[in-house]
Amino acid sequence: MAKDRETVCLYYIALGECKKGREASHEHYCQKCDKYYPRAKERHLNQKKKRLQEIRKNERYD
């Protein structure tokens, strides 16, 4: 149910392929690699907070 909020590395091609010649596994290795550079600056929203706010908003109108 959890959604990964990891940003893909700029050098990541596919599972097991990295432009820097390393073993690429996005979930584990790339995030810890000293050559890791995110592809894009993403703003990760807190999904739990968002859903709770929607529920509370609907409860007020009922």
Side-chain angles (χ1 to χ4, degrees), residues 5 45-55:
R5 291 194 245 179
L45 298 174
N46 186 336
Q47 296 294 326
K48 182 178 178 181
K49 184 178 178 181
K50 180 182 171 187
R51 295 237 164 65
L52 284 172
Q53 286 176 340
E54 289 174 4
I55 291 169

Side-chain angles (χ1 to χ4, degrees), residues 12-61:
Y12 179 81
I13 301 169
L15 185 64
E17 294 181 44
C18 176
K19 290 181 184 176
K20 296 288 183 175
R22 297 195 170 199
E23 283 184 37
S25 172
H26 176 61
E27 296 98 32
H28 307 289
Y29 192 78
C30 284
Q31 296 291 315
K32 298 171 191 160
C33 176
D34 60 342
K35 297 179 182 180
Y36 171 76
Y37 184 79
R39 279 191 191 174
K41 299 282 184 182
E42 294 180 13
R43 183 167 178 248
H44 300 292
L45 298 174
N46 186 336
Q47 296 294 326
K48 182 178 178 181
K49 184 178 178 181
K50 180 182 171 187
R51 295 237 164 65
L52 284 172
Q53 286 176 340
E54 289 174 4
I55 291 169
R56 288 183 185 129
K57 181 181 174 185
N58 291 336
E59 286 176 352
R60 289 184 198 147
Y61 296 116

